[in-house]
């Protein structure tokens, strides 16, 4: 694993975005992984390790999370910002810097292994970012994995997620921070203590005053869902939740939808409608798991790995739906 960063430009100025990178940096099969609302890129360590032999895996800390900068203008925590940052990341990873040594040989090798393949794995908010990007004209996304999120998210589920964003004053002890995380992430389906230790280690940091804080800006939820986001269209089901069916209708690439059987974010009715509108949508459900599968367990990793590494890729024409 390598730690990298880059600068992206928002309305208020530049901000730094951190990411981890796994695998051969010259591998033309790139998998971008993006986390949920209050999580960070280290959630993908186990998945990235399992993919690194076959892919170059890039896991980004969305601005305001993990090791990325916090924004001074809190209203910029929006999907507009996230999409611009993601586009900057994609430009960076699909055109890596050439080696100073034997650049001609490097280019010949890249041509010999084939064209670049770019896939996206997104958990919750990261899945919505991926879906919005995949729906854009000329999108480079070849395959899309939506981890426990879809084109419709009920308001009650969104308010529940927003309710875990408090604790601006931090925790007096690491034990109290861990207790909070175990409660907030209890639906992730984490079974092993080593996995819990990994989650806590990368979710908490110690401040100069000795208290412990979660590794995200508490202001990341200020615009959810009180302020309209121009990147999120207002669909006919807006009174019930975030309605992105028009976005889903525009997605052309193959999709794998992962669902926790107890999820309140991706309901069975939403998944069924996704398949009705896009019949080639694949899905995998994990028993005893809510929102969202942590992608720590072998069965969850295997489902993603099989989908992304499948050799034959077909991008079907999407039938018109109403």
């Amino acid at each position: 694993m390598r730690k990298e960063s880059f600068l992206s430009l928002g309305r208020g100025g530049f901000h730094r975005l951190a990411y981890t990178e796994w695998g051969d940096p010259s591998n033309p099969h790139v998998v971008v992984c993006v986390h949920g609302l209050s999580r960070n890129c280290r959630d993908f360590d186990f998945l990235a390790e399992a993919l690194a032999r076959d892919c170059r895996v890039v896991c980004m800390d969305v601005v305001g999370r993990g090791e990325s900068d916090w924004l001074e203008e809190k209203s910029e925590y929006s999907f507009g910002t996230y999409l611009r940052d993601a586009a900057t990341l994609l430009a960076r990873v699909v055109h890596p810097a050439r080696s100073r040594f034997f650049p001609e040989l490097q280019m010949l090798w890249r041509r010999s292994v084939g064209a670049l393949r770019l896939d996206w794995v997104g958990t919750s908010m990261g899945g919505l970012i991926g879906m919005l990007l995949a729906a854009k004209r000329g999108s480079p996304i070849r395959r899309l994995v939506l981890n426990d999120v879809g084109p419709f998210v009920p308001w009650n589920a969104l308010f529940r997620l927003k309710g875990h964003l408090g604790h601006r004053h931090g925790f007096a002890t690491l034990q109290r921070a861990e207790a909070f995380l175990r409660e907030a992430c209890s639906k992730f389906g984490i079974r092993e203590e080593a996995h819990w230790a990994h989650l806590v280690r990368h979710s908490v940091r110690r401040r100069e005053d000795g208290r412990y804080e979660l590794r995200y800006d508490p202001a990341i939820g200020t615009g959810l869902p009180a302020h309209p986001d121009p990147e999120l269209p207002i669909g006919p089901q807006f009174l019930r939740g975030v309605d992105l069916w028009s976005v889903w209708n525009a997605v052309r690439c193959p999709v794998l939808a992962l669902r926790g059987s107890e999820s309140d974010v991706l309901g069975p009715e939403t998944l069924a409608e996704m398949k009705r509108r896009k019949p080639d949508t694949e899905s995998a459900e994990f028993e005893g798991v809510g929102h969202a599968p942590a992608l720590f367990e072998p069965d969850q990793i295997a489902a993603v790995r099989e989908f992304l590494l499948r050799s034959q890729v077909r991008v079907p024409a999407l039938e018109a739906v109403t």
Side-chain angles (χ1 to χ4, degrees):
M1 186 193 77
R2 301 172 296 280
K3 291 186 177 182
E4 305 285 351
S5 65
F6 64 96
L7 290 177
S8 185
L9 181 62
R11 293 192 302 272
F14 286 96
H15 51 268
R16 188 183 66 88
L17 291 143
Y19 65 94
T20 59
E21 184 175 348
W22 304 68
D24 183 350
S26 63
N27 193 323
H29 187 181
V30 181
V31 178
V32 175
C33 301
V34 180
H35 57 78
L37 177 62
S38 62
R39 301 301 308 145
N40 62 73
C41 71
R42 303 305 300 271
D43 284 0
F44 294 104
D45 281 4
F46 298 101
L47 175 64
E49 187 174 25
L51 291 171
R53 238 179 1 185
D54 304 285
C55 313
R56 177 186 176 202
V57 186
V58 176
C59 310
M60 182 177 72
D61 278 333
V62 176
V63 67
R65 290 85 165 171
E67 296 185 12
S68 291
D69 284 347
W70 291 12
L71 294 175
E72 291 188 15
E73 178 52 59
K74 305 307 181 185
S75 65
E76 286 198 64
Y77 287 126
S78 67
F79 279 92
T81 299
Y82 305 152
L83 292 180
R84 287 191 296 272
D85 290 347
T88 304
L89 174 68
L90 295 183
R92 180 181 177 90
V93 301
V94 301
H95 296 293
R98 294 187 182 183
S99 170
R100 292 178 299 164
F101 307 103
F102 310 114
E104 294 84 3
L105 289 177
Q106 182 183 13
M107 292 301 295
L108 284 172
W109 181 86
R110 286 183 66 87
R111 289 172 187 166
S112 71
V113 297
L116 178 113
R117 291 165 288 162
L118 180 67
D119 298 334
W120 186 282
V121 178
T123 296
S124 195
M125 179 190 72
L128 293 180
I129 296 170
M131 184 167 62
L132 289 163
L133 287 172
K136 300 289 187 184
R137 185 177 66 254
S139 173
I141 295 177
R142 180 194 75 124
R143 292 200 154 211
L144 173 63
V145 178
L146 299 176
N147 185 18
D148 211 67
V149 73
F152 179 76
V153 180
W155 289 131
N156 62 329
L158 191 56
F159 279 118
R160 180 185 63 78
L161 294 174
K162 186 178 176 181
H164 290 303
L165 298 180
H167 295 276
R168 294 172 181 267
H169 303 294
F171 304 88
T173 66
L174 181 60
Q175 290 73 22
R176 290 186 179 181
E178 179 175 351
F180 171 83
L181 284 166
R182 283 181 179 259
E183 166 63 23
C185 305
S186 61
K187 299 296 186 181
F188 285 13
I190 299 175
R191 305 185 188 111
E192 298 185 21
E193 282 302 311
H195 290 166
W196 276 116
H198 177 90
L199 183 143
V200 172
R201 181 167 64 252
H202 296 293
S203 300
V204 179
R205 60 185 163 207
R206 195 170 191 180
R207 302 190 311 211
E208 291 183 0
D209 63 4
R211 295 180 69 85
Y212 293 86
E213 67 179 1
L214 302 176
R215 295 178 62 199
Y216 60 79
D217 185 347
I220 58 175
T222 53
L224 292 173
H227 305 295
D229 191 317
E231 287 294 339
L232 301 180
I234 299 177
Q237 298 187 63
F238 177 76
L239 294 179
R240 295 179 50 235
V242 177
D243 181 346
L244 299 179
W245 287 114
S246 61
V247 175
W248 177 250
N249 293 343
V251 172
R252 296 292 187 270
C253 64
V255 177
L256 169 66
L258 307 178
R259 180 177 184 269
S261 63
E262 301 175 6
S263 173
D264 60 346
V265 173
L266 178 57
E269 301 85 359
T270 299
L271 183 57
E273 180 64 12
M274 290 168 69
K275 291 183 175 183
R276 187 189 75 81
R277 296 183 182 223
K278 186 175 169 60
D280 62 334
T281 299
E282 300 181 39
S283 65
E285 186 167 290
F286 305 104
E287 291 298 323
V289 181
H291 182 77
L295 303 183
F296 289 2
E297 301 298 329
D299 59 337
Q300 298 170 15
I301 291 173
V304 176
R305 182 178 162 82
E306 191 279 330
F307 178 74
L308 296 181
L309 299 184
R310 200 175 298 158
S311 57
Q312 296 299 320
V313 178
R314 180 179 63 89
V315 182
L318 189 65
E319 297 294 333
V321 293
T322 58

